[in-house]
Amino acid sequence: MISAVPLTHVSAEDAAAWHAVVAASLADDLPEEPRPTFEQVHAQLTVAGRDNRRLLWHATATDGTVVGVAGLRLFTSPGQKHLAELELHVTPDQRRSGVGSHLLATAVEAAQAEQRRSLIADVAGGGPADAFCAARGFRRVLAVDHLLLDLPLADDAAAGAEHPGYELAGWTGTVPDDLAEAFAAAKNSMNDMPTGDMDYGSQTWTADRVRAMAEVLADRGDVLLTTAALRKGEMAGYTEIVIRAGEARRALQYDTVVVPAHRGHGLGLWVKAEMVRRLRAEHPGIVEIETDNAQDNSHMLAVNRQLGFRVHRSSHKYQLDLPTT
């Protein structure tokens, strides 16, 4: 018998069990990818988000062994209160034994109780989770390419290009107060990013919300780097990089945005090339950046290829449409 045990308070022991399941699952599904550290998993489970809340479960066998985990991220900001995001892992030796199905049923029931109409999940392309989702009524709504940039080989020449009327700015952590409103306005341009057939909704960014997002990352021990292009007090575009706590090799690309009125001037390539230079100077131990792009986002894929990014794997986003009352 498998039991789905809710985690209302995550102890170090709970986090260690969660980490063990995730590490085993990812080692089987993505053997060439680095596994998250215990510290990263512990922070993910225990640091509260500012625009979402999480429900967590362990799947335990009769002897108390944790053989699976599930997390449900419930979005709370206006424009996304209909949405929940699922994370689910089962140890390879317990797959096809009903553990994943039991956890999924538990998460679906909770999502319906929270009046969510859409449940989304991100899975490795071509792996067992593809078949799992397809067999349980999920629709594939977006295909994504994951790319890697080898920093020593990256072409950062575009950082030195002239962009009359524009200037570069950069900061670490929370946005400076004098740029907070402009940064929030630029972030709202993310609402036109490609989302395929996903019922993603929309986000509204304010100065307080961008500060709160930075606080969450700081509470996790992560380093947030931002480089922006400015014009007459307006933020025309920006790019963000996160280095997770304890990470010694790989940085993660977060948003890269060019505001619609400023597109067509090469600003996306400019800020990303400048970020490459920043990483080399400020974090020489980081040797690669991982990013992901929707496969139909041809413009950003072209920018990334020019910098030297290469595709190294794919993933799929699935959506389960939930009945609502």
Side-chain angles (χ1 to χ4, degrees), residues 127-185:
D130 260 332
F132 178 87
C133 289
R136 286 158 181 81
F138 284 81
R139 295 183 293 115
R140 187 187 296 183
V141 291
L142 189 67
V144 176
D145 281 337
H146 293 250
L147 303 92
L148 277 181
L149 177 65
D150 298 317
L151 277 169
L153 304 177
D155 181 359
D156 65 359
E162 293 291 331
H163 292 275
Y166 294 93
E167 61 178 337
L168 289 170
W171 62 90
T172 300
T174 305
V175 60
D177 287 344
D178 62 328
L179 293 177
E181 294 289 347
F183 187 36

Side-chain angles (χ1 to χ4, degrees), residues 11-56:
S11 67
E13 182 181 8
D14 293 332
W18 189 290
H19 175 256
V21 170
V22 171
S25 174
L26 294 179
D28 198 65
D29 294 344
L30 297 169
E32 297 182 359
E33 289 296 290
R35 253 69 73 197
T37 65
F38 165 77
E39 290 76 16
Q40 289 165 356
V41 168
H42 185 267
Q44 174 192 355
L45 297 176
T46 58
V47 176
R50 300 298 191 271
D51 58 0
N52 64 83
R53 55 190 178 88
R54 292 181 183 271
L55 303 177
L56 307 170

Side-chain angles (χ1 to χ4, degrees), residues 3-20:
S3 300
V5 180
L7 303 181
T8 55
H9 172 75
V10 179
S11 67
E13 182 181 8
D14 293 332
W18 189 290
H19 175 256

Side-chain angles (χ1 to χ4, degrees), residues 15-317:
W18 189 290
H19 175 256
V21 170
V22 171
S25 174
L26 294 179
D28 198 65
D29 294 344
L30 297 169
E32 297 182 359
E33 289 296 290
R35 253 69 73 197
T37 65
F38 165 77
E39 290 76 16
Q40 289 165 356
V41 168
H42 185 267
Q44 174 192 355
L45 297 176
T46 58
V47 176
R50 300 298 191 271
D51 58 0
N52 64 83
R53 55 190 178 88
R54 292 181 183 271
L55 303 177
L56 307 170
W57 298 269
H58 277 167
T60 59
T62 52
D63 63 356
T65 303
V66 178
V67 295
V69 297
L72 194 64
R73 182 184 179 196
L74 300 165
F75 294 85
T76 57
S77 60
Q80 291 191 308
K81 290 184 178 180
H82 65 282
L83 189 64
E85 185 177 48
L86 175 69
E87 177 186 5
L88 195 155
H89 295 277
V90 177
T91 56
D93 63 319
Q94 292 293 320
R95 291 175 178 175
R96 299 184 179 276
S97 66
V99 176
S101 296
H102 186 63
L103 283 171
L104 176 60
T106 301
V108 166
E109 182 179 3
Q112 289 180 285
E114 294 284 344
Q115 297 297 304
R116 306 296 157 140
R117 70 169 184 254
S118 299
L119 178 64
I120 58 174
D122 190 359
V123 308
D130 260 332
F132 178 87
C133 289
R136 286 158 181 81
F138 284 81
R139 295 183 293 115
R140 187 187 296 183
V141 291
L142 189 67
V144 176
D145 281 337
H146 293 250
L147 303 92
L148 277 181
L149 177 65
D150 298 317
L151 277 169
L153 304 177
D155 181 359
D156 65 359
E162 293 291 331
H163 292 275
Y166 294 93
E167 61 178 337
L168 289 170
W171 62 90
T172 300
T174 305
V175 60
D177 287 344
D178 62 328
L179 293 177
E181 294 289 347
F183 187 36
K187 266 193 173 290
N188 283 315
S189 297
M190 283 293 291
N191 282 319
D192 68 359
M193 68 179 180
T195 57
D197 295 325
M198 184 165 42
D199 184 17
Y200 191 70
S202 62
Q203 301 188 66
T204 301
W205 290 92
T206 64
D208 286 342
R209 190 176 178 211
V210 296
R211 293 186 185 104
M213 184 270 285
E215 289 171 3
V216 170
L217 293 172
D219 289 346
R220 292 178 183 170
D222 299 343
V223 176
L224 171 63
L225 305 174
T226 308
T227 295
L230 307 177
R231 181 183 175 96
K232 297 179 179 178
E234 182 181 358
M235 191 168 295
Y238 67 90
T239 190
E240 297 172 315
I241 287 287
V242 170
I243 304 172
R244 292 175 296 180
E247 183 59 62
R249 179 180 179 85
R250 181 179 294 186
L252 300 180
Q253 180 76 62
Y254 271 39
D255 293 350
T256 298
V257 174
V258 176
V259 174
H262 298 276
R263 292 174 184 169
H265 302 292
L267 300 183
L269 180 61
W270 191 35
V271 294
K272 287 175 74 82
E274 176 63 21
M275 180 63 80
V276 168
R277 291 189 175 181
R278 278 191 68 186
L279 281 170
R280 287 171 170 165
E282 299 174 18
H283 299 275
I286 297 298
V287 297
E288 61 187 17
I289 301 172
E290 180 181 5
T291 190
D292 60 75
N293 295 122
Q295 290 179 356
D296 59 357
N297 190 352
S298 57
H299 176 73
M300 190 54 66
L301 285 168
V303 168
N304 285 330
R305 281 194 295 269
Q306 189 167 341
L307 285 166
F309 279 90
R310 56 182 172 82
V311 177
H312 79 114
R313 68 180 181 92
S314 65
S315 67
H316 298 134
K317 291 189 182 294

